[in-house]
Amino acid sequence: MTQQTKQGDAYVQPARQTIDEYVRTGRQIQVPSGLPEEMYETRAGVFVSIKIKDRTSQEGSAPLRLRGCIGTIQAVQPSIAQELIHNAVSAASRDPRAAAKPGWRGYRTRAACDRKAEGGHW
């Protein structure tokens, strides 16, 4: 089972913060406080997808384009929060579509996260 989250949810906010910080400074954020306890205590695979829309396009006229997607099917990091942050940096820097750079500032960035439920399927 996959837990899909919407923009603004607890899983998306740290991914978005991570991507914004990485694009702006080239640095990874620390695990923020105030996340759901499971994000500190549970391990799971996490996928982070980055979609962009050119700011010069009229609202609603251009579809979002996948700009980066990286994930793990099994936990590699000690917690979901750390897995999410690590994969957000990777989605912004290691996916060939991403090539995070200052030019991204002209785009609307959306982060989406999928988490593999413990013992479940995607």
Side-chain angles (χ1 to χ4, degrees):
M1 174 179 209
T2 299
Q3 175 179 347
Q4 294 188 344
T5 59
K6 297 177 184 165
Q7 198 169 349
D9 285 352
Y11 283 78
V12 175
Q13 283 303 96
R16 189 179 205 39
Q17 288 175 320
T18 299
I19 293 162
D20 290 345
E21 180 70 15
Y22 186 79
V23 169
R24 205 168 40 76
T25 68
R27 288 181 281 207
Q28 181 174 305
I29 68 168
Q30 297 296 314
V31 174
S33 59
L35 299 173
E37 284 302 310
E38 76 164 356
M39 292 184 74
Y40 302 110
E41 299 170 354
T42 307
R43 297 181 74 212
V46 175
F47 275 77
V48 176
S49 301
I50 303 169
K51 295 182 179 182
I52 60 168
K53 182 176 185 178
D54 188 331
R55 72 176 174 168
T56 61
S57 298
Q58 291 181 339
E59 197 65 33
S61 66
L64 294 174
R65 293 183 294 137
L66 182 63
R67 191 58 186 252
C69 181
I70 296 281
T72 47
I73 58 172
Q74 292 184 340
V76 176
Q77 303 296 322
S79 69
I80 291 173
Q82 290 169 300
E83 194 87 23
L84 181 70
I85 290 168
H86 182 267
N87 291 348
V89 167
S90 292
S93 62
R94 293 182 53 215
D95 186 309
R97 295 168 289 207
K101 52 189 163 213
W104 271 24
R105 293 180 194 208
Y107 293 92
R108 292 180 55 192
T109 304
R110 295 192 184 190
C113 300
D114 293 322
R115 165 175 97 75
K116 183 176 183 239
E118 196 170 332
H121 302 282
W122 287 103

